[in-house]
Amino acid sequence: NFIMSTLETNLIQPSTGTTLTLGASGDTINVAGTAGTGFPGGMDLLSTTTISSTPSAVAFNNTLITNTYDNYTIIGSNLEPTADCNLGFGISADNGSSGVAQTYNNSRYTQLNASTQGFNTSTVTVNGQAGPLIAELNDGVLGSFVLQIFNAQATHRGTMLRYESIYENSGAVPYSLLGATIFSNTSAINHVQVATSTSTFQTGTVSLYGMRK
């Protein structure tokens, strides 16, 4: 066996095929990276909420939204409300005690069973502040979304949101929605939430990921 304390190389690749094995069964392999989470530039799953009751919102607080990450991704899937409603998104700089208003918001919708397209600037009030409408949910039809949060540690420019969703509205018309928002905060946020406008959730999962620096 050839034993050495440090190996420096630009590339490790399998001699044949496409599978590279490091160590053997039972071995512990440590990979240095940001906060011990592995290779930088990827995503760390921080929390998943599986809806089992009927909450009107799913929130992630200051135990998860911290200065460890500047950017986050939230994925919601198989979401169904107890009644038709709009879906909104809000942020807070005081762990949910008060919300942050949006400064700019616009989105483009596409009807999936026709050639209809257009723009939507509708808002949903979340935690007392107007925020973007990120989807319309239909009782009986599942909806999904992806939210990308940028500049969570805002100091002179607000936190930014990019959102994409697929859903059927209250008239059972299928849509996709793609939009972006700039919020008015000038300090770091530590709380985010996805909330229904007038209803509650009955099914679905919502997961929060931190984007490694």
Side-chain angles (χ1 to χ4, degrees), residues 31-70:
V31 180
T34 303
T37 55
F39 297 104
M43 297 196 308
D44 295 321
L45 176 61
L46 303 180
S47 179
T48 294
T49 296
T50 300
I51 296 168
S52 58
S53 55
T54 53
S56 61
V58 176
F60 300 105
N61 63 20
N62 63 358
T63 64
L64 298 168
I65 308 298
T66 68
N67 60 10
T68 300
Y69 303 94
D70 294 328

Side-chain angles (χ1 to χ4, degrees), residues 79-94:
L79 295 169
E80 182 185 355
T82 54
D84 298 347
C85 64
N86 292 333
L87 190 64
F89 175 79
I91 64 174
S92 172
D94 55 13

Side-chain angles (χ1 to χ4, degrees), residues 16-207:
T16 59
T18 58
T19 300
L20 179 65
T21 300
L22 298 177
S25 177
D27 289 349
T28 298
I29 299 175
N30 296 318
V31 180
T34 303
T37 55
F39 297 104
M43 297 196 308
D44 295 321
L45 176 61
L46 303 180
S47 179
T48 294
T49 296
T50 300
I51 296 168
S52 58
S53 55
T54 53
S56 61
V58 176
F60 300 105
N61 63 20
N62 63 358
T63 64
L64 298 168
I65 308 298
T66 68
N67 60 10
T68 300
Y69 303 94
D70 294 328
N71 308 306
Y72 295 86
T73 294
I74 299 176
I75 299 177
S77 58
N78 298 327
L79 295 169
E80 182 185 355
T82 54
D84 298 347
C85 64
N86 292 333
L87 190 64
F89 175 79
I91 64 174
S92 172
D94 55 13
N95 200 33
S97 295
S98 60
V100 175
Q102 66 179 29
T103 302
Y104 306 105
N105 174 61
N106 207 339
S107 62
R108 184 174 184 87
Y109 62 83
T110 300
Q111 186 174 333
L112 298 180
N113 60 353
S115 58
T116 303
Q117 298 184 8
F119 292 96
N120 187 352
T121 58
S122 299
T123 62
V124 175
T125 299
V126 177
N127 203 4
Q129 296 290 343
L133 181 153
I134 60 174
E136 300 176 61
L137 295 182
N138 181 330
D139 175 20
V141 180
L142 303 180
S144 299
F145 65 78
V146 176
L147 311 178
Q148 294 176 298
I149 304 166
F150 305 104
N151 197 30
Q153 304 302 312
T155 55
H156 65 278
R157 182 72 183 206
T159 295
M160 303 172 188
L161 171 73
R162 182 183 184 274
Y163 54 95
E164 185 171 4
S165 59
I166 302 172
Y167 59 88
E168 290 187 22
N169 66 8
S170 59
V173 179
Y175 284 96
S176 68
L177 184 70
L178 178 64
T181 305
I182 299 177
F183 288 91
S184 61
N185 58 305
T186 55
S187 60
I189 65 171
N190 58 10
H191 185 279
V192 300
Q193 62 178 312
V194 177
T196 61
S197 58
T198 56
S199 183
T200 57
F201 297 107
Q202 60 175 317
T203 63
T205 60
V206 182
S207 298

